[in-house]
Amino acid sequence: MADSFNPDSRRTARSSRRRALVLVLVLIVVMMLALAGFTFAELMLTENKATRVHGEHLRMQQAIHSGVAQLKQFVEQPRADQEVAGGLLDNPRLFQAVPLEGELLDGRSGVNRLRFSVVAPADESSSSSRQRTVRFGVDNESGRLHLADVLRYEQQLPGSGRDALLKLPGMTETVAECILDWIDSDSQPRPLGAESDYYGGLPEPYAPRNGLPDCLEELLLVKGVTREMLFGADANYNRNLEPAELSRSSAASNPTTTDPTPWSWLLTLYSGHRNRDSQGQPRINLNGANLVELHQQLTAAVGPELAAFVVAYRQHGPYLGGEAPLRGVVPFDAAHAPQFRLSSILDLADASVAVASGKSDSKAAVYQSPLSADSASLAQQLATLMDVTTIHDQPVSRGQVSVNDAPAIVLQAVPGIDEALAQQIVAARKNTAGDSAARRYPTWLLAEGLVDLPTMKRLLPYVSGSGDVVRAQVVAHFDQPGLSARAEVVIDVTGDAAHELLWRDLRFYGAGFPTEWLTAGAPRGARN
């Protein structure tokens, strides 16, 4: 019995169990500490990676801002200087893969530099012979139809604004009238349109704008307008319809739909022109009150013969008689006050004036304008006159469609331009043999025989040769495929300094442009 009860052995067993429990607790604590350490390390690695990615995005945003700043600086230059430097349409030397900083070492691929590119969709006017889907430049907003112009058409000739909208792909009379009701100032619905009575009766009622929208997206509130009409199948917002996007568009499901161009590519709220010449100087107002000053300015700009004729036209008005006009310089006489105003610069073409000699028994002498529609030098004369003169003092004009930038669809929306003429204009633009300075203004249509003088006079209030509001996407990217960022900007240079009218962050739409599109064939100066 004494051997079966041993207090020492029991104490030893309890001590062993305690040591085992302590060992287990120590192991648990060590495991928890190790797990905490691993978790902390993983968290720090994740934070480090996130910080690096965030830093890359910040750097790319700065690259985008740098691209916008360079674009602003360039568009602020006079148009003649822009043309000498390569222009805005397609200028890889200035806008393709421009390096932003020194070499950045990447252990996997060596040098991987951060760059920006200013891109716009390629078109038939691109000067590059390379086959690509982007060009390195901008879109001129005057190549689109301004909604303010649509209202102007409608006010001047009822029905013409609706007809202009009907030129857009997929547009119907009902939707066209609903858009007009949305943007006009009255509350009276058109026969097929909609005003407050309709929008106020919706499950979630709202009021129509009765004015120009703040952005094109607002048109989605208009009765009948769908997202596909406005934005089409361009899911990644790069102005290129890839095969996958086309397969999801209405053109794929409806064989009768041949033009998938969305309205957002054809409409604008931003186009405008500053009333300055190609050197950036204020134009001479042909309707100015001081005829002595006007004669001096015109003599220096367009020569004494045309200067004297303009003054005589302002004093005596157009001569509509049947007498054969004399040739030669009209005698300048500042004694007569101006009695007539020019409604168009083209009023001077093929015009005549009758100038009395001052003697009661003498007959008035009739002089013919030196600006003749049949003249061999008409193109240069018109280009010079359109460049340096104006008929009003307004510093900025809004709207007007550029015959040098608009696609045929938009050109057909202009009153007086039918489908045949629109196609002729687009075809003539492909011919780059002409003088670029002579094509700065829409009167090249007259000089090159596409239209006659009466047609050109009717078109002139609605068209232009360019504009001073531009649109582009600025892409920040590296030499190697990887992270990228982009933004769409609309820059207005109608004032003294360029400023942004629109900034749209496009990161959420994906890369949009593969790196090889942006870096392939980049100029040496942009790559090194």
Side-chain angles (χ1 to χ4, degrees):
M1 293 292 293
D3 293 338
S4 63
F5 179 76
N6 188 341
D8 291 337
S9 63
R10 183 173 288 184
R11 284 194 296 270
T12 300
R14 286 198 297 268
S15 178
S16 297
R17 286 194 296 271
R18 284 197 297 270
R19 285 196 295 270
L21 180 61
V22 171
L23 180 59
V24 171
L25 292 174
V26 170
L27 289 174
I28 292 174
V29 171
V30 170
M31 290 176 63
M32 292 179 66
L33 291 174
L35 182 60
F38 284 128
T39 302
F40 179 77
E42 184 180 6
L43 178 62
M44 291 301 99
L45 289 173
T46 302
E47 288 291 333
N48 181 58
K49 183 178 180 180
T51 301
R52 289 179 57 190
V53 171
H54 182 64
E56 294 297 322
H57 280 296
L58 289 178
R59 290 169 53 214
M60 286 189 288
Q61 288 300 309
Q62 291 303 313
I64 291 175
H65 284 285
S66 297
V68 173
Q70 177 161 311
L71 181 56
K72 284 182 178 179
Q73 183 183 33
F74 190 71
V75 298
E76 286 177 347
Q77 298 179 25
R79 189 164 301 155
D81 293 346
Q82 293 177 15
E83 292 172 358
V84 171
L88 280 166
L89 181 66
D90 191 9
N91 196 337
R93 186 177 66 83
L94 288 181
F95 298 129
Q96 181 184 7
V98 180
L100 209 72
E101 53 193 61
E103 293 183 354
L104 300 175
L105 297 180
D106 186 318
R108 296 168 299 171
S109 56
V111 177
N112 194 21
R113 301 178 69 179
L114 179 61
R115 303 174 182 272
F116 70 78
S117 296
V118 178
V119 301
D123 59 18
E124 84 285 344
S125 301
S126 177
S127 62
S128 174
S129 60
R130 291 173 294 177
Q131 295 297 317
R132 49 184 165 83
T133 52
V134 296
R135 53 187 167 86
F136 298 94
V138 304
D139 270 336
N140 198 307
E141 282 296 282
S142 294
R144 302 178 179 213
L145 178 63
H146 200 303
L147 287 178
D149 275 345
V150 175
L151 276 179
R152 183 158 63 102
Y153 301 164
E154 188 71 11
Q155 291 165 358
Q156 293 176 355
L157 182 62
S160 59
R162 181 200 59 190
D163 292 342
L165 289 175
L166 285 172
K167 298 298 190 298
L168 301 180
M171 181 65 73
T172 66
E173 289 190 23
T174 298
V175 175
E177 293 201 355
C178 287
I179 292 175
L180 286 170
D181 277 337
W182 186 272
I183 64 178
D184 65 18
S185 59
D186 63 60
S187 299
Q188 181 66 34
R190 299 167 192 273
L192 300 176
E195 283 283 0
S196 299
D197 290 346
Y198 169 80
Y199 298 108
L202 295 175
E204 296 182 5
Y206 52 89
R209 169 70 66 175
N210 286 337
L212 290 178
D214 287 336
C215 58
L216 285 179
E217 286 82 354
E218 186 181 309
L219 293 181
L220 292 173
L221 297 174
V222 177
K223 178 184 176 182
V225 176
T226 66
R227 179 166 291 276
E228 185 172 3
M229 290 174 177
L230 194 58
F231 296 109
D234 187 17
N236 59 1
Y237 214 85
N238 67 351
R239 293 284 308 278
N240 285 286
L241 293 177
E242 287 88 13
E245 293 173 332
L246 284 172
S247 67
R248 297 192 297 269
S249 70
S250 59
S253 59
N254 184 3
T256 63
T257 303
T258 58
D259 194 337
T261 307
W263 299 349
S264 61
W265 296 8
L266 306 172
L267 298 174
T268 185
L269 297 166
Y270 306 116
S271 62
H273 313 76
R274 55 184 171 182
N275 202 5
R276 292 179 175 267
D277 64 20
S278 59
Q279 301 297 329
Q281 300 302 312
R283 290 189 169 108
I284 303 167
N285 185 3
L286 296 177
N287 288 319
N290 189 330
L291 294 185
V292 174
E293 181 181 358
L294 176 62
H295 183 262
Q296 293 173 345
Q297 292 175 328
L298 286 176
T299 298
V302 299
E305 187 175 3
L306 186 54
F309 184 85
V310 170
V311 172
Y313 188 101
R314 291 287 315 283
Q315 292 171 326
H316 307 287
Y319 173 69
L320 303 178
E323 294 185 17
L326 301 176
R327 296 191 179 272
V329 179
V330 183
F332 173 66
D333 182 4
H336 297 282
Q339 302 294 324
F340 295 86
R341 293 177 61 87
L342 281 85
S343 61
S344 167
I345 290 176
L346 292 180
D347 288 346
L348 300 172
D350 288 346
S352 301
V353 294
V355 180
S357 65
K359 298 179 181 179
S360 58
D361 58 344
S362 62
K363 197 173 183 180
V366 179
Y367 295 87
Q368 185 178 20
S369 170
L371 186 64
S372 170
D374 297 327
S375 171
S377 60
L378 177 66
Q380 186 57 50
Q381 287 178 311
L382 282 176
T384 301
L385 200 60
M386 292 290 294
D387 186 32
V388 301
T389 68
T390 181
I391 58 171
H392 58 78
D393 282 329
Q394 296 175 357
V396 178
S397 298
R398 294 295 175 187
Q400 294 182 315
V401 171
S402 170
V403 297
N404 290 323
D405 300 287
I409 297 174
V410 174
L411 289 173
Q412 293 174 49
V414 177
I417 297 182
D418 58 17
E419 182 178 358
L421 179 56
Q423 295 296 341
Q424 286 179 326
I425 294 172
V426 172
R429 291 197 314 231
K430 296 179 181 179
N431 178 16
T432 58
D435 182 5
S436 61
R439 283 191 171 186
R440 285 179 185 155
Y441 304 99
T443 47
W444 69 264
L445 302 180
L446 171 64
E448 297 187 20
L450 273 69
V451 298
D452 57 18
L453 180 58
T455 302
M456 190 71 250
K457 290 180 73 171
R458 289 194 299 270
L459 291 179
L460 198 56
Y462 305 123
V463 295
S464 68
S466 61
D468 294 299
V469 182
V470 299
R471 180 189 298 258
Q473 290 191 27
V474 182
V475 184
H477 58 94
F478 291 92
D479 288 325
Q480 304 297 328
L483 289 175
S484 65
R486 59 191 173 112
E488 182 181 42
V489 293
V490 174
I491 296 177
D492 187 332
V493 70
T494 56
D496 293 331
H499 64 280
E500 297 156 21
L501 295 177
L502 173 72
W503 178 291
R504 179 180 287 126
D505 191 340
L506 300 178
R507 286 177 297 171
F508 303 106
Y509 294 93
F513 305 97
T515 302
E516 56 268 22
W517 286 12
L518 305 176
T519 58
R524 182 176 298 274
R527 296 279 304 183
N528 297 320

